[in-house]
Amino acid sequence: QCLQYNKRYCRSQNKRIALHYGKEHKMEKCIFCKIAAGEIPSNKVYEDEYMLAFHDISPMAKVHVLVIPKMHIANVDGITEENSEVIAKMFAKMGDIAKAAGITNGYRVISNCGSDAKQSVMHLHFHILGGQELPEKMA
Ligand code: DGP
């Protein structure tokens, strides 16, 4: 199933990224892969061929959006020279996504990576937190 999804992606768009996606994704679809594939509904803020942004199911701020790559990357440790193009595209859109979610006065971008950081979903995601004054803390 997962590979079928890869093939669809492969036919339509950037070959190099699609091949990398296929290579990385020989595993059962994770929950965010399913959301990216539209198999699980989400409250979308933005979508293009590389990424999806949607509201977090348990918001930690008035506005809490997750930005994920459509290709499966486990976390920040999984970012490589090959897939960094997608990550750059995600950051290039971050401001527009925040604005589309209604954030007007600044926001925080966080990515939890691994056990000590309490990463709970093993598919790279950037939390955009805003819509209110955020507490001063570690990040
Ligand atoms: P982290 O702890 O950094 O791995 O964050 C994972 C976030 O994902 C957490 O804030 C809750 C959110 N989340 C988990 N499952 C779902 C889901 O099915 N839908 C949505 N919208 N968010 C989810």
Side-chain angles (χ1 to χ4, degrees):
Q1 243 181 347
C2 206
L3 291 172
Q4 274 167 16
Y5 174 64
N6 289 348
K7 280 178 202 157
R8 275 211 304 277
Y9 183 83
C10 210
R11 261 185 252 122
S12 60
Q13 295 299 333
N14 188 311
K15 210 176 173 188
R16 191 164 67 82
I17 289 168
L19 285 173
H20 184 73
Y21 178 93
K23 192 178 118 201
E24 284 290 294
H25 207 59
K26 282 176 188 155
M27 58 173 80
E28 241 178 68
K29 262 190 204 175
C30 74
I31 186 154
F32 283 2
C33 281
K34 287 180 181 169
I35 288 176
E39 291 166 13
I40 292 178
S42 64
N43 188 359
K44 282 182 205 173
V45 175
Y46 175 80
E47 181 172 18
D48 65 23
E49 66 207 88
Y50 303 103
M51 72 194 87
L52 178 68
F54 55 96
H55 289 278
D56 194 290
I57 205 164
S58 45
M60 304 280 283
K62 278 200 179 137
V63 181
H64 185 171
V65 173
L66 301 173
V67 187
I68 66 168
K70 286 191 171 176
M71 66 193 293
H72 184 84
I73 301 170
N75 54 30
V76 170
D77 278 345
I79 299 174
T80 62
E81 286 291 332
E82 285 81 19
N83 64 27
S84 61
E85 201 178 324
V86 172
I87 310 304
K89 286 180 189 294
M90 291 168 72
F91 273 89
K93 286 283 175 202
M94 214 63 85
D96 288 345
I97 292 169
K99 202 185 275 182
I103 293 173
T104 55
N105 200 34
Y107 55 92
R108 193 173 280 160
V109 179
I110 294 174
S111 190
N112 296 315
C113 179
S115 176
D116 277 2
K118 311 290 182 205
Q119 181 181 2
S120 61
V121 177
M122 291 304 285
H123 181 123
L124 179 65
H125 49 282
F126 296 102
H127 298 259
I128 299 180
L129 299 161
Q132 63 173 85
E133 195 175 338
L134 298 171
E136 287 190 39
K137 51 173 197 154
M138 284 175 76

